[in-house]
Amino acid sequence: MRTAFWLPEDGHLDPFFLVLANTESARRRGARVMTYTEVVGFSRAGDRVTGVRLRDVMSGAETAIACQAVINATGAWSGLVARLLGVEVRVVPVKGVMVVLSHRLAHAAINRCHKPGDGDIVVPALSVAILGTTSAKVPHPEVLPIEWDEVRRMIEEGALMLDGVTTARAMRAYAGVRPLYDLGAEAEGREMSRNFAVIDHEVRDGVKGLTSIVGGKVTTYRLMAERVVDLVARRLGVRNPCTTADVPISDHDDSLDQLRHRPAQLGVPKPHSGEHPLEPLLCECEMVRPRDAAPWFADPAVRTLEDVRRRTRAGMGPCQAAICSYRLAARLVTDRGLDGSQATRAMADFLETRWRGVRHVFWGSQLRQAQVGTGLQMELFNLDRQLAIDGDRPETREPRLPSRRPVPAEARG
Ligand SMILES: Cc1cc2nc3c(=O)[nH]c(=O)nc-3n(C[C@H](O)[C@H](O)[C@H](O)COP(=O)(O)OP(=O)(O)OC[C@H]3O[C@@H](n4cnc5c(N)ncnc54)[C@H](O)[C@@H]3O)c2cc1C
């Protein structure tokens, strides 16, 4: 390495906490958040949108909500949602693969000084670090294959920047999808614009009550929100100035804020000092206490153990839920009244989602770690045989992970 720059104004954020902070802030102001609920259609009166039709992707139940205005903010899915009303939004889904490394390799984002490319950024994320990323157009936002070659290339590139990339254990790989707004240029992946657009469908397509917000980045999301909400508010006759630029998202001393300070809060008692021992933990890797998870088990928007994971980070650390999964499943029995079979099914579903990421990095110490996890779940907890025993009982099929609508065959390629 010849030169390094430190940018004091550089920063990083936790996307899970950011989304939660936004939804919790909206709920405190009266919004209703409906998780696992998909817009499947609209109702219209002439040229005006008068409501949305919704489908619960877990139960399949359909409902409808009447409304005066709809904001289509569905990222890479914006084009598919707009198509339900027969209008076009040209958004291109661009896949990015990321690799989770078992240690927090640095306390700041580290970026290679070259034109953006694969494996050129390492971002700390509480106990772990994330190595990013790739950039490739995909035919559908839910077709996100992770190729072995992509993972290998990222680790090789990342190692040129930071030794720890190869000494840390690659714990899992996952892919996200960027919603890039197609301005019509023949650009590919990273060459495509990260700009955003507010589309007033009343002006452009003659569909009253529908506005789309597409493109952009996380770093511009509040500006995007301001632009689109200002437009819709004006149409509804609301003249109050938008305050999103001035109001902190987390303006409440709630558990979300405390999560950030958990390691400092828990502290480490000195041996033989007479200090109280640490509270028992639900998840040792991420230091999640039972009381951190308890409110989420009481929240109806939380419907699977995956939801608890996103809100607490339980299961996201180095052992990838090998231990905490059964403690979380036990909470489904004590806090939600599920029976043992249902909780076992929920635990298996939870482990399945962890497995989806782990299987891409099966080598070296991660392979050994996965064998420990499999041994615990299959030999000690008897999970696979228990599932087979319970398999015939229909009530064990709830709660299950949502079944999304199938991706169209032409998009699967
Ligand atoms: C690998 C990668 C790295 C990135 N790095 C950065 C970075 O360093 N800095 C930065 O600023 N940005 C970055 N981005 C971009 C940023 O993550 C995205 O721009 C941002 O997440 C888009 O937010 P969104 O809300 O528009 O879309 P999304 O976060 O995709 O949300 C859209 C939501 O709409 C839901 N939805 C879809 N269809 C329906 C329907 N019919 N009914 C109801 N809901 C529906 C989806 O389930 C989804 O939850 C990165 C993206 C990726 C993939």
Side-chain angles (χ1 to χ4, degrees):
M1 189 194 303
R2 281 196 222 125
T3 314
F5 300 92
W6 177 56
L7 301 176
E9 71 275 20
D10 219 6
H12 60 275
L13 56 83
D14 183 303
F16 296 99
F17 292 155
L18 181 73
V19 170
L20 266 180
N22 274 283
T23 53
E24 292 309 301
S25 165
R27 279 168 124 186
R28 283 197 294 274
R29 290 167 173 79
R32 182 171 160 217
V33 175
M34 299 171 75
T35 49
Y36 298 104
T37 308
E38 188 177 20
V39 173
V40 289
F42 292 91
S43 46
R44 293 176 74 152
D47 57 1
R48 175 167 289 285
V49 178
T50 54
V52 286
R53 280 195 294 112
L54 306 170
R55 178 175 157 268
D56 184 310
V57 294
M58 290 179 93
S59 67
E62 298 214 355
T63 46
I65 297 180
C67 61
Q68 291 173 277
V70 173
I71 297 177
N72 173 17
T74 48
W77 290 261
S78 310
L80 299 171
V81 170
R83 208 180 292 160
L84 296 171
L85 274 166
V87 297
E88 190 187 31
V89 170
R90 293 172 58 150
V91 62
V92 181
V94 174
K95 178 187 78 165
V97 173
M98 280 157 291
V99 179
V100 184
L101 303 167
S102 59
H103 299 94
R104 187 180 164 95
L105 296 178
H107 293 306
I110 298 189
N111 217 170
R112 255 176 99 184
C113 289
H114 65 178
K115 225 178 143 197
D118 296 350
D120 66 358
I121 184 166
V122 173
V123 182
L126 288 189
S127 62
V128 298
I130 296 174
L131 170 64
T133 175
T134 61
S135 184
K137 281 186 191 177
V138 285
H140 187 280
E142 283 153 53
V143 178
L144 302 173
I146 299 174
E147 309 295 346
W148 149 245
D149 231 29
E150 292 175 300
V151 175
R152 182 184 54 82
R153 198 170 56 247
M154 282 219 292
I155 292 177
E156 282 172 7
E157 286 292 319
L160 297 175
M161 184 172 58
L162 207 62
D163 284 345
V165 169
T166 41
T167 50
R169 177 161 54 87
M171 294 195 317
R172 58 188 287 114
Y174 66 101
V177 60
R178 302 174 183 87
L180 300 195
Y181 186 49
D182 184 356
L183 297 165
E186 287 301 306
E188 263 291 329
R190 287 200 172 85
E191 307 302 324
M192 288 188 69
S193 166
R194 263 57 172 172
N195 279 343
F196 67 87
V198 175
I199 305 172
D200 184 340
H201 293 283
E202 177 171 341
V203 172
R204 202 192 72 174
D205 307 298
V207 178
K208 291 185 181 148
L210 177 69
T211 313
S212 292
I213 173 84
V214 279
K217 297 188 58 121
V218 170
T219 40
T220 54
Y221 90 95
R222 296 195 89 174
L223 179 64
M224 294 165 69
E226 183 176 304
R227 293 273 165 83
V228 71
V229 170
D230 275 350
L231 176 73
V232 173
R234 259 200 320 278
R235 287 240 189 280
L236 295 174
V238 177
R239 299 280 160 211
N240 294 355
C242 179
T243 56
T244 190
D246 307 313
V247 177
I249 301 169
S250 207
D251 52 359
H252 201 257
D253 182 25
D254 59 12
S255 55
L256 287 172
D257 293 326
Q258 289 162 25
L259 288 180
R260 293 186 172 284
H261 306 297
R262 191 178 297 148
Q265 256 177 20
L266 286 172
V268 179
K270 294 181 197 72
H272 318 300
S273 67
E275 283 178 41
H276 291 299
L278 289 180
E279 280 179 65
L281 294 171
L282 267 180
C283 166
E284 281 89 353
C285 300
E286 295 288 337
M287 292 183 281
V288 182
R289 301 163 298 184
R291 65 177 148 129
D292 299 317
W296 300 119
F297 280 102
D299 184 339
V302 171
R303 294 171 65 179
T304 65
L305 293 180
E306 270 292 279
D307 296 337
V308 179
R309 169 186 73 79
R310 290 190 197 98
R311 286 158 176 80
T312 61
R313 287 191 65 87
M316 290 173 82
C319 90
Q320 290 289 293
I323 311 282
C324 67
S325 51
Y326 84 94
R327 294 190 189 129
L328 290 167
R331 299 297 298 229
L332 289 175
V333 177
T334 54
D335 296 24
R336 289 239 159 140
L338 267 61
D339 70 21
S341 303
Q342 291 169 322
T344 307
R345 180 73 256 172
M347 173 179 163
D349 283 346
F350 180 49
L351 288 168
E352 169 75 24
T353 62
R354 298 286 81 202
W355 168 257
R356 271 182 227 157
V358 172
R359 72 202 156 119
H360 301 292
V361 288
F362 252 5
W363 65 82
S365 51
Q366 178 55 30
L367 182 55
R368 285 194 287 278
Q369 174 68 37
Q371 278 182 310
V372 172
T374 311
L376 276 173
Q377 284 132 23
M378 302 305 174
E379 302 299 330
L380 194 62
F381 305 151
N382 208 19
L383 186 60
D384 53 344
R385 262 166 271 167
Q386 192 58 44
L387 286 174
I389 294 166
D390 293 334
D392 294 334
R393 299 176 48 208
E395 65 273 23
T396 62
R397 294 190 196 118
E398 291 291 337
R400 296 304 311 269
L401 287 173
S403 56
R404 276 195 163 275
R405 273 186 306 175
V407 174
E410 66 274 16
R412 274 184 257 132

